[in-house]
Amino acid sequence: LGGHAPTPIQTALGITLANASKTQLCAVFGSFGWSGEAIDMLESKFRDAGFSFGFDTIRVKFKPTDQTLKMCEEAGTDFAQALKKAEKRRQPKSALPESESARTEQALGRLVGSLCVVTAQQGELGSAMLASWVSQATFSPPGLTVAVAKERAVESLLHKNSCFVLNILQEGNHLGLMKHFLKPFAPGGDRFAGVATETAENGAPILKESLAYLECRVQQRLECGDHWVLYAVTDRGSLLQEGVTAVHHRKSGDHY
């Protein structure tokens, strides 16, 4: 207000700087109606105090667009994943023999799934993820299930009645697409830059290097632990290449 952070924000900043550990990640985001000095002030205070930033400061003038909100969600996702990695590094390594849970994870890993890329587009918002927990679920109507981790950026585009394309990757020709969609993307970054695509009738991108694709619509969405399981039906698809489906062999129950 008047070029300054509101009093409650200044109070919260003072409490944080006085009590938080410098090893903790921080980030600054906010909206403004004039020139945004308060956001710059918050960022400089944290930098001067020696904090590390989980994502680049986000400044929004007036009301954020849907694209900006999507970028914020992706930034928050990256921030949460960074916290999880930091927590995992702090956990002491066990010197005990292999645990029962580890053996169970290894057994789960022997469940084999096809390698696919889920692509979704809603207006200007687009996203994608590499998926290996995919299975045909019904024959009439033709339907399938896809498991999507809750922290995936694409998850917000996959609610009931939302459309997506399941791009099935080809063995021997999948490494390029696999590496592309496994690499980290900056919040708001174009996940399809450098990838040959065309638009499906449902509006989602088709990866032209795929073995085959299916145009899908989410019918049911079931919350299952750390994942959402989507049941989707498809009434359109095509084989783009002649070949064999790429399969992901895992060492444990974790996936991408």
Side-chain angles (χ1 to χ4, degrees), residues 125-201:
L125 304 180
S127 192
M129 75 165 200
L130 188 67
S132 60
W133 292 4
V134 180
S135 178
Q136 183 174 352
T138 56
F139 188 76
S140 181
L144 53 90
T145 59
V146 183
V148 181
K150 289 180 177 178
E151 70 267 17
R152 293 298 189 114
V154 73
E155 177 271 333
S156 63
L157 301 179
L158 297 175
H159 289 274
K160 190 174 180 179
N161 295 321
S162 298
C163 294
F164 67 92
V165 166
L166 185 73
N167 299 272
I168 304 165
L169 303 189
Q170 181 182 9
E171 180 64 36
N173 191 35
H174 65 287
L175 293 180
L177 288 173
M178 182 176 169
K179 289 179 180 179
H180 177 86
F181 289 103
L182 275 178
K183 70 182 180 183
F185 290 89
D190 183 2
R191 281 163 167 72
F192 303 105
V195 177
T197 64
E198 60 183 48
T199 304
E201 290 192 29

Side-chain angles (χ1 to χ4, degrees), residues 136 138-144 164-166 202 213-219 231-238:
Q136 183 174 352
T138 56
F139 188 76
S140 181
L144 53 90
F164 67 92
V165 166
L166 185 73
N202 67 8
Y213 74 91
L214 294 166
E215 296 187 39
C216 306
R217 180 179 296 274
V218 179
Q219 293 291 302
Y231 169 68
V233 297
T234 177
D235 57 4
R236 190 178 296 108
S238 181

Side-chain angles (χ1 to χ4, degrees), residues 40-80:
D40 296 334
M41 182 272 287
L42 291 172
E43 180 184 17
S44 64
K45 290 289 186 182
F46 279 112
R47 289 198 186 280
D48 292 344
F51 282 86
S52 298
F53 282 70
F55 56 81
D56 293 336
T57 298
I58 298 174
R59 297 172 175 83
V60 179
K61 191 164 187 177
F62 299 118
K63 183 179 179 181
T65 63
D66 289 342
Q67 204 161 8
T68 302
L69 291 174
K70 182 65 177 170
M71 180 185 69
C72 290
E73 182 181 356
E74 292 173 359
T77 296
D78 291 348
F79 193 90

Side-chain angles (χ1 to χ4, degrees), residues 17-41:
L17 293 176
N19 294 280
S21 166
K22 301 297 190 299
T23 60
Q24 292 178 285
L25 283 177
C26 74
V28 177
F29 61 96
S31 60
F32 56 92
W34 189 245
S35 53
E37 296 95 335
I39 300 172
D40 296 334
M41 182 272 287

